[in-house]
Amino acid sequence: MDEFVADLHVHSLLSPCAAVEMTPRNIVLHAVRHEVKIIALADHNAGDNVMAAIEAAKGLDVTVLPAMEVETREEIHLVTLFDSMRRFKAWEEIVSRHRPDRLNDEQKFGAQFIVDAQDEFVAVKQELLLAPLSLGIAEITRKVAELGGISIASHIDRPSYSIISQLGFIPADAILAAAEVSRLTKPGDARRLFPGIGNLPVITASDAHTIHDFIT
């Protein structure tokens, strides 16, 4: 059986908390250099840089999956992952309708940059991305599943914005494919440390906001 190194939670500079070095092409080239075969660009509540990353990866030995890290009404972060841009675009439209009707404060949160496949500046996204959607975890995971995607509980070993820190358990109506831990927690220890996840599969992802986070 073939094995691949994958990182299913990487932020680009569209996320206001990410470093400006986190451009789609730079992320893709670092993935190739460090033999990461599959990556998912998962920015906060938006996906404007996903297509640029997919285009930047053409002809290279890395696959980019369309993804988005969304914040639920309960202030839980979920990575939502898709296998096609068609399905991902449908999800983007749903998310855009449920973001708060507020503008981003660059001084407080940071800028939200949209770039192309060559990492050239395209625009600054004005809508506030670091805020909860008006949808709860059950609604989000159901809608993602209906579109053919999967939802992963983000960084369950962190003290904020995780399903464990917010709820302490997996709701029966949440449709989750896995729980994510950082490199600080061994997947084999996750169920003992966080019994609230039950028998949910556990994965490790970087949640990278800098290139150093991504490649270490």
Side-chain angles (χ1 to χ4, degrees):
M1 181 174 65
D2 292 335
E3 294 185 357
F4 302 94
V5 176
D7 191 335
L8 301 181
H9 189 174
V10 181
H11 290 269
S12 83
L13 73 174
L14 175 62
S15 293
C17 44
V20 292
E21 69 198 30
M22 296 299 282
T23 56
R25 182 170 176 78
N26 198 27
I27 291 168
V28 165
L29 293 178
H30 273 75
V32 172
R33 191 170 300 135
H34 294 273
E35 299 183 337
V36 180
K37 299 297 185 181
I38 303 170
I39 60 174
L41 209 64
D43 284 309
H44 290 290
N45 289 348
D48 301 73
N49 283 342
V50 167
M51 196 63 228
I54 292 173
E55 291 177 354
K58 287 181 178 178
L60 301 177
D61 191 20
V62 60
T63 297
V64 177
L65 298 177
M68 187 189 302
E69 184 176 36
V70 297
E71 183 174 340
T72 75
R73 186 171 54 231
E74 303 92 345
E75 297 185 348
I76 294 166
H77 285 187
L78 303 173
V79 171
T80 58
L81 190 67
F82 295 85
D83 63 358
S84 75
M85 280 302 296
R86 178 182 60 81
R87 291 173 174 172
F88 182 68
K89 285 292 185 183
W91 177 233
E92 274 191 296
E93 291 178 8
I94 293 171
V95 170
S96 67
R97 295 198 298 270
H98 292 278
R99 283 195 301 255
D101 187 19
R102 295 166 56 193
L103 297 179
N104 182 45
D105 182 344
E106 289 190 11
Q107 296 301 314
K108 184 176 182 180
F109 299 116
Q112 303 171 159
F113 294 110
I114 302 170
V115 297
D116 65 18
Q118 300 302 318
D119 290 348
E120 296 293 333
F121 174 80
V122 173
V124 172
K125 195 168 185 69
Q126 300 295 332
E127 298 93 330
L128 177 65
L129 300 181
L130 287 184
L133 303 178
S134 60
L135 297 171
I137 183 172
E139 297 168 286
I140 287 173
T141 57
R142 177 176 54 79
K143 289 178 182 293
V144 169
E146 288 172 351
L147 289 171
I150 63 172
S151 299
I152 298 170
S154 300
H155 41 67
I156 63 164
D157 54 342
R158 293 185 180 171
S160 58
Y161 298 112
S162 81
I163 197 166
I164 297 301
S165 68
Q166 297 304 99
L167 300 180
F169 64 97
I170 306 295
D173 54 359
I175 306 171
L176 294 172
E180 171 201 290
V181 295
S182 70
R183 293 189 179 99
L184 298 177
T185 301
K186 294 180 179 179
D189 294 337
R191 236 174 294 284
R192 174 177 57 83
L193 295 171
F194 310 102
I197 65 172
N199 293 320
L200 206 60
V202 179
I203 67 167
T204 302
S206 69
D207 187 17
H209 289 69
T210 71
I211 286 295
H212 178 74
D213 293 337
F214 176 46
I215 64 174
T216 55

